[in-house]
Amino acid sequence: MAIKKWTGSTSGDFGVAGNWQDFSGGAWIAAVAAPADGDDIQIFEGRAIDSGLDQVGGNLASLRVSGNVGVGTPGSPLIIGVSDGSDTYCLYQGRADCYLSAGTDNIDKAIVDSPGPGTLYLSGGTVTALECTQKGYVEVAAACVVTNI
C-alpha cells in the first residue's frame, strides 16, 4: 500500500508510473509503479487524465480529486477497482469535471465537497453512501446504484 500523487508529467495516462509520485520517508519521490492494490490516490494538479482509464484490475483504498485536473471524459470514465469490505471512499473537491465508475464494484462512501464549478459524474458500480457537503455538483447515471444519500 502506498500514497500516490498524480503529476501528469509525462502524459495523461493513469497507468504510466512516470505520471505519479510516491510519499516515502516524509517526502514525495518519483513513483516506480502506477497505482496498485490498496493504494491511496491523490489527484490535485497536473494535466488532465484522459487515457489508461480502465483500472478495474487494481483495488484502490481511496481516491481524492481536487484542483483543476479533469479526470476521464463523458464516454470514457476512470474505471477503478475497489476492495469489497475495505471502507473504500472517494472524495471529490474538484473544480474540473471528474467522470468515475466503480465498474461492478462498490464505493463505500463518495463525498462531494467541491467549490465548483466542476461536476462528479458517477456512471457505474454501487455507491453505498453519497454525501454532498458544499455547493458541489454530482450526476448519477442509471448504471450507478446509490443506496444512501
Side-chain angles (χ1 to χ4, degrees), residues 62-125:
S62 68
L63 174 67
R64 180 178 177 192
V65 179
S66 64
N68 289 316
V69 180
V71 178
T73 64
S76 297
L78 173 62
I79 304 171
I80 59 169
V82 293
S83 300
D84 292 332
S86 66
D87 295 326
T88 301
Y89 76 92
C90 170
L91 174 60
Y92 172 72
Q93 298 173 308
R95 291 183 293 278
D97 292 340
C98 177
Y99 297 87
L100 181 66
S101 172
T104 59
D105 289 339
N106 180 62
I107 296 173
D108 294 303
K109 188 172 197 175
I111 302 168
V112 179
D113 184 27
S114 173
T119 299
L120 174 62
Y121 296 92
L122 298 169
S123 61

Side-chain angles (χ1 to χ4, degrees), residues 1 5 11-12 14-15 20 31 35 66 69 71 74 85 89 91 94 99 108 113 118 120 124 131 134 137 140 143-144:
M1 292 192 293
K5 179 175 74 170
S11 69
F14 188 93
W20 295 94
S66 64
V69 180
V71 178
Y89 76 92
L91 174 60
Y99 297 87
D108 294 303
D113 184 27
L120 174 62
E131 179 181 324
Q134 263 196 73
Y137 303 99
V140 180
C144 181

Side-chain angles (χ1 to χ4, degrees), residues 51-65:
S51 60
L53 298 169
D54 187 353
Q55 296 297 317
V56 76
N59 294 316
L60 303 180
S62 68
L63 174 67
R64 180 178 177 192
V65 179

